[in-house]
Amino acid sequence: MTESIGSARLDRRGLLRGSLATAALAGLGGTLAGCATSGGGQVKQETGTKSADNPFGVPDGSTIDAVIFNGGYGYDYVQFAADQLKKKLPKVTPKVTPSTQIAQELQPRFAGGDPPDLIDNSGAGAMTFNSIQDQLEDLRDVFDANNYEGTKISDTLYPGAIEAGTFGGKVLEVNYVLSLYAIWYSASLFKENGWSVPQTWDEVIDLGAKAKAKGKYLWVWGKEAATYYQTLAMESATKAAGDDFRLPLENLKPKSWSHPAIQNVFKALETCVQKGYFKPGGAGTQFTKAQAQWSNDQAAILYPSGAWIENEMKDQTKEGFEMTGAPVPVASTSGEAMPYNAIYSTAGEPFIVPKGKNPAGGKELLRAMLSKEASANFAKTKLAPTIVKGGIPDDAFGSTALASQVKMLNDAGSNTFRFTTIGIYGMNTDQLVVWNNFLSGKIDAKGLTEGLQKIMDKVADDPSVKKTKAT
Amino acid sequence: MSTSAASTRATASGTTPRRRRRRWTFDKISFLAVFLGVPLIIYVVFVISPFIQSIYYSLTDWGGFSTTMNFVGLANFKELLSDDLFLTALRNNITLLIVLPVFTIVVALIFASLVTVAGSNRGAVRGLRNSSFYRVVSFFPYVIPGVVIGLIWAQVYDPSSGLLNGVLTKVGLHQFESYPWIGDERTALAASIFAMAWGGIGFYMVLFIAAIRGIEPELFEAMRIDGAGRWKTAMHLTMPMIRDNVQTAYIYLGIAALDGFVFMQALNPTGGPNNSTLVMGQVLFRTAFEHGKYGLATAMGVALSIVTLAFSALVFAVNRLLGAERDVAR
């Protein structure tokens, strides 16, 4: 009897031990089951006959499967284009699906050889471009086709729109939204205090002292967006030195962060940190909260960001704020590679067409989006310009931010530049660590330079990372 | 242990048959098929096969978005050992593994003792007054999902408008104005651990209350008659009697600490100041979805599960060394 009780206890212990192991394995299995390939090769591509109304040959009765990032711009603008397409090709069914986690949702479909026909690969969960670029359709024929109004699409676009999606000579993305980067401020607040927008870094530091006198900070930052200051520095350095700075950096060359042009900017930012012109605590503040400290509390007066800032902070902007953008400061207003008015302007919101079931359908939906009507609809509802010219009236729908964008684009003329490959290696998260340290005053400009270079060298030396040459 | 088990089994099946030989009837077979076969198949399909699959993927250079991959052997694991980011995360996970369970269990045990046996010294052994109220209140946080707890505490720790700095500056500690609790390397991990423990204490408290309730009240009374105070009672009676529960709690908390992904992602999605709150799960996630290196990420998953298994084994071994067998087994 005693023995059987003893063995019963043993069994219970053994069982517990086994179940713990199982729990551990189940945890792992659960995590990775999502990564398992479902097998199967490439899906058979559907084809139809091409015609003037159907230049890519979308097959009758086919479905166009579009997965659209549901972020700052929503996805209804693609649905609008899909409805236009449906009017043109009634036998085709466009299906627009929103997603906030593009990579997690689509990775199994790519791995299983069944990707959607059109993807807006955007947001924090976007797929690394590097890992999918071999599976994408060349989209040059979209730009060569006529739009719904009968004009050749490439003739209707802002300059640089096609180049923004060109990689190694192939057009792999259609970047739909025209975006530019600037420093943003409240025109009403600046007017009230008699401040002028700083054009050089010396003026920035002077303005910092003036703001401090009013109990305000010059800059503010949030932990997930600390690298906005990296973009700011890169823009300013590119205006100073042009491709001499930009190309080594984008091609991951050693010591590219040590270029004198960017070192000047780092030094100026270091001065701002040391003088206490950055609102403290940013490394522990969520970035939209930090942005609200600028747009709502007006605790800080300047913020470097892209043109999406107005839409992003719409609900948290003070009444009468008059959000306005200005080109980023330069080291000096003369003797630089580009004038002060030059801006970093590029097309964003990358739409891609994988080599899948119905690539012609994906291209056709893009053609619908690039029509005058769909693009005007976007400008009106999202307060942002698309790559299609026109569509924004002189009053910019009453938006000071949009009006200042149009002004900056006009002032810059042909003096626009863009970064081509810096974003495709997934370095941002690592860089955030270094930038948060720098903006908190934990490291100086030298430490910042070393930290950023180390991250870049790691990618450059990693043979498993496919490099794309920047031009 | 195992030898006695083996001998028991041997006696049952061989030399001295106590029972008659089993006869395979249709009932018996169908019973086994349904109650043993089906779960086994489900287990093999959904647990074992992904596990084997992931071991295979961890030995390849799979990029995640294609159907092709090359077999690279142990190269991924070699890379892990030289990847400073992964090693930082591993170190953070181990810190979590040591601190989180100890902190949570100690606090939960104190609370559990308070509401069960720490009441008045007169009359029957009972908890503090209104203990049922405290019990319910302290269970609340466990009902909230981890990600929400993370977000709540991220707000509490907010440097400019957070509750914590608000209270601290109100009581005159002005050095905490704009102090970034989860944005400063010195406090980020501790603050995150506190938030994780806050979410778990209520559950473990209820677990320990149930265990303490299982101890015969006479034992507490005897202890009290012998003149033992609360501390002695807790150390010499409560603790040994609920040892198995503490061990279970430790293992579950340890597994939670080795994961920690949900909390850390909600508190500090970027890994915290100088990566001081980065956990392996976050590195895995980043490697897969941001860098598109699924093979390497899978190797991280395999490494994570090895650490988890090693941890469970360690807890059992330590518990046995500390004399679990000598204590009353119930």
Side-chain angles (χ1 to χ4, degrees), chain B residues 24-70:
Chain B
W24 292 100
T25 60
F26 175 76
D27 275 2
K28 212 169 248 171
I29 291 170
S30 54
F31 177 82
L32 281 179
V34 172
F35 285 92
L36 206 64
V38 172
L40 194 71
I41 289 168
I42 292 175
Y43 184 77
V44 167
V45 169
F46 291 104
V47 180
I48 303 288
S49 89
F51 187 57
I52 292 170
Q53 231 178 347
S54 41
I55 290 180
Y56 175 73
Y57 286 132
S58 74
L59 303 174
T60 67
D61 65 352
W62 190 37
F65 290 90
S66 66
T67 41
T68 55
M69 61 191 90
N70 301 312

Side-chain angles (χ1 to χ4, degrees), chain A residues 16-231:
Chain A
L16 181 59
R17 205 171 291 151
S19 63
L20 278 168
T22 312
L25 296 188
L28 174 84
T31 328
L32 296 169
C35 300
T37 45
S38 53
Q42 213 74 33
V43 213
K44 204 178 168 309
Q45 202 162 306
E46 298 170 11
T47 41
T49 32
K50 296 181 183 181
S51 69
D53 255 1
N54 186 359
F56 313 115
V58 188
D60 278 351
S62 67
T63 306
I64 305 169
D65 182 5
V67 177
I68 306 302
F69 174 63
N70 187 10
Y73 296 126
Y75 68 101
D76 50 317
Y77 66 99
V78 181
Q79 188 61 54
F80 181 92
D83 295 341
Q84 304 282 107
L85 184 150
K86 185 86 192 155
K87 272 180 229 156
K88 257 217 152 103
L89 304 168
K91 286 184 188 144
V92 176
T93 319
K95 200 178 100 222
V96 179
T97 322
S99 165
T100 50
Q101 299 285 331
I102 297 284
Q104 285 92 316
E105 205 173 308
L106 297 185
Q107 183 270 334
R109 292 192 59 181
F110 270 92
D114 178 31
D117 305 315
L118 179 69
I119 303 165
D120 172 15
N121 186 28
S122 228
M127 295 178 284
T128 317
F129 182 72
N130 251 346
S131 48
I132 46 165
Q133 62 170 320
D134 294 341
Q135 301 175 60
L136 301 180
E137 287 275 326
D138 193 334
L139 299 173
R140 188 165 298 276
D141 49 350
V142 174
F143 294 117
D144 290 341
N146 286 348
N147 67 8
Y148 278 17
E149 288 82 12
T151 323
K152 193 176 171 195
I153 289 178
S154 56
D155 294 339
T156 64
L157 307 178
Y158 276 108
I162 301 175
E163 287 75 16
T166 309
F167 297 86
K170 277 189 185 163
V171 183
L172 299 180
E173 296 173 345
V174 170
N175 290 280
Y176 189 58
V177 184
L178 193 64
S179 192
L180 57 82
Y181 293 75
I183 53 170
W184 301 86
Y185 63 98
S186 158
S188 54
L189 182 76
F190 269 57
K191 205 176 190 179
E192 197 182 294
N193 288 290
W195 295 329
S196 53
V197 180
Q199 301 201 349
T200 65
W201 285 103
D202 288 339
E203 288 173 30
V204 169
I205 291 160
D206 286 346
L207 180 64
K210 286 180 198 158
K212 199 141 207 198
K214 295 269 177 194
K216 290 187 187 298
Y217 294 98
L218 186 60
W219 306 102
V220 65
W221 93 98
K223 60 184 172 185
E224 305 94 335
T227 45
Y228 283 5
Y229 287 89
Q230 174 175 306
T231 313

Side-chain angles (χ1 to χ4, degrees), chain A residues 9-10 17 20 28 32 35 37 104 107 111 127-128 135 223 279 281 289 293 426 429-430 437 462, chain B residues 1 51 54 57 62 64-65 67 155 158-160 267-268 274 285-286 290-291 293-294 301 316 320 325:
Chain A
R9 212 184 85 219
L10 271 176
R17 205 171 291 151
L20 278 168
L28 174 84
L32 296 169
C35 300
T37 45
Q104 285 92 316
Q107 183 270 334
M127 295 178 284
T128 317
Q135 301 175 60
K223 60 184 172 185
K279 187 170 190 323
K289 276 206 134 182
Q293 291 168 355
T429 318
D430 292 336
N437 277 345
D462 186 345
Chain B
M1 273 341 295
F51 187 57
S54 41
Y57 286 132
W62 190 37
F65 290 90
T67 41
Q155 302 299 313
D158 186 279
S160 308
L267 281 163
N268 250 331
N274 240 349
F285 189 88
R286 217 186 270 183
E290 282 181 27
H291 298 184
K293 293 181 175 179
Y294 282 69
F316 273 101
R320 181 167 302 177
E325 297 308 314

Side-chain angles (χ1 to χ4, degrees), chain B residues 39-112:
Chain B
L40 194 71
I41 289 168
I42 292 175
Y43 184 77
V44 167
V45 169
F46 291 104
V47 180
I48 303 288
S49 89
F51 187 57
I52 292 170
Q53 231 178 347
S54 41
I55 290 180
Y56 175 73
Y57 286 132
S58 74
L59 303 174
T60 67
D61 65 352
W62 190 37
F65 290 90
S66 66
T67 41
T68 55
M69 61 191 90
N70 301 312
F71 190 80
V72 294
L74 292 174
N76 285 331
F77 291 93
K78 217 184 277 167
E79 195 175 335
L80 281 191
L81 291 177
S82 60
D83 181 351
D84 50 346
L85 208 60
F86 183 75
L87 294 178
T88 308
L90 179 67
R91 208 170 53 229
N92 291 338
N93 268 120
I94 290 174
T95 313
L96 265 178
L97 182 63
I98 296 166
V99 182
L100 177 73
V102 172
F103 180 70
T104 312
I105 287 175
V106 167
V107 177
L109 262 178
I110 292 173
F111 284 177

Side-chain angles (χ1 to χ4, degrees), chain B:
Chain B
M1 273 341 295
S2 51
T3 48
S4 77
S7 69
T8 321
R9 221 169 287 134
T11 7
S13 62
T15 44
T16 46
R18 286 182 197 164
R19 279 174 289 181
R20 284 196 302 158
R21 254 189 130 68
R22 285 201 182 97
R23 223 178 277 137
W24 292 100
T25 60
F26 175 76
D27 275 2
K28 212 169 248 171
I29 291 170
S30 54
F31 177 82
L32 281 179
V34 172
F35 285 92
L36 206 64
V38 172
L40 194 71
I41 289 168
I42 292 175
Y43 184 77
V44 167
V45 169
F46 291 104
V47 180
I48 303 288
S49 89
F51 187 57
I52 292 170
Q53 231 178 347
S54 41
I55 290 180
Y56 175 73
Y57 286 132
S58 74
L59 303 174
T60 67
D61 65 352
W62 190 37
F65 290 90
S66 66
T67 41
T68 55
M69 61 191 90
N70 301 312
F71 190 80
V72 294
L74 292 174
N76 285 331
F77 291 93
K78 217 184 277 167
E79 195 175 335
L80 281 191
L81 291 177
S82 60
D83 181 351
D84 50 346
L85 208 60
F86 183 75
L87 294 178
T88 308
L90 179 67
R91 208 170 53 229
N92 291 338
N93 268 120
I94 290 174
T95 313
L96 265 178
L97 182 63
I98 296 166
V99 182
L100 177 73
V102 172
F103 180 70
T104 312
I105 287 175
V106 167
V107 177
L109 262 178
I110 292 173
F111 284 177
S113 300
L114 285 177
V115 300
T116 49
V117 296
S120 157
N121 271 333
R122 293 153 194 277
V125 173
R126 57 167 183 262
L128 295 175
R129 215 181 301 164
N130 301 330
S131 59
S132 54
F133 171 73
Y134 300 137
R135 214 165 61 201
V136 172
V137 168
S138 52
F139 195 71
F140 278 165
Y142 188 72
V143 184
I144 307 170
V147 61
V148 178
I149 292 176
L151 293 174
I152 291 174
W153 279 91
Q155 302 299 313
V156 172
Y157 290 139
D158 186 279
S160 308
S161 52
L163 188 68
L164 183 59
N165 284 346
V167 171
L168 289 175
T169 43
K170 265 268 152 53
V171 301
L173 297 167
H174 288 291
Q175 65 269 40
F176 289 111
E177 208 168 322
S178 302
Y179 183 76
W181 288 94
I182 50 175
D184 192 306
E185 216 181 321
R186 289 166 294 178
T187 49
L189 190 59
S192 309
I193 290 176
F194 186 84
M196 286 176 86
W198 183 85
I201 284 171
F203 174 78
Y204 292 100
M205 179 182 146
V206 169
L207 179 79
F208 294 148
I209 289 173
I212 294 173
R213 284 278 157 83
I215 305 172
E216 324 244 316
E218 288 83 1
L219 291 175
F220 286 103
E221 272 161 31
M223 200 83 178
R224 199 159 76 189
I225 291 164
D226 287 346
R230 284 178 185 137
W231 175 250
K232 272 215 165 120
T233 314
M235 290 312 290
H236 296 288
L237 176 65
T238 317
M239 272 299 278
M241 293 297 276
I242 64 167
R243 170 177 225 129
D244 277 1
N245 295 73
V246 175
Q247 179 187 315
T248 309
Y250 204 104
I251 288 178
Y252 276 110
L253 277 164
I255 293 172
L258 282 172
D259 172 18
F261 177 79
V262 169
F263 285 94
M264 293 311 188
Q265 193 72 8
L267 281 163
N268 250 331
T270 53
N274 240 349
N275 289 320
S276 56
T277 65
L278 187 72
V279 292
M280 284 188 279
Q282 286 176 298
V283 183
L284 190 160
F285 189 88
R286 217 186 270 183
T287 309
F289 295 114
E290 282 181 27
H291 298 184
K293 293 181 175 179
Y294 282 69
L296 184 61
T298 319
M300 288 178 181
V302 172
L304 183 58
S305 74
I306 291 171
V307 176
T308 312
L309 286 175
F311 162 73
S312 311
L314 190 74
V315 172
F316 273 101
V318 167
N319 200 31
R320 181 167 302 177
L321 280 177
L322 291 179
E325 297 308 314
R326 285 197 313 273
D327 286 326
V328 200
R330 284 166 302 114

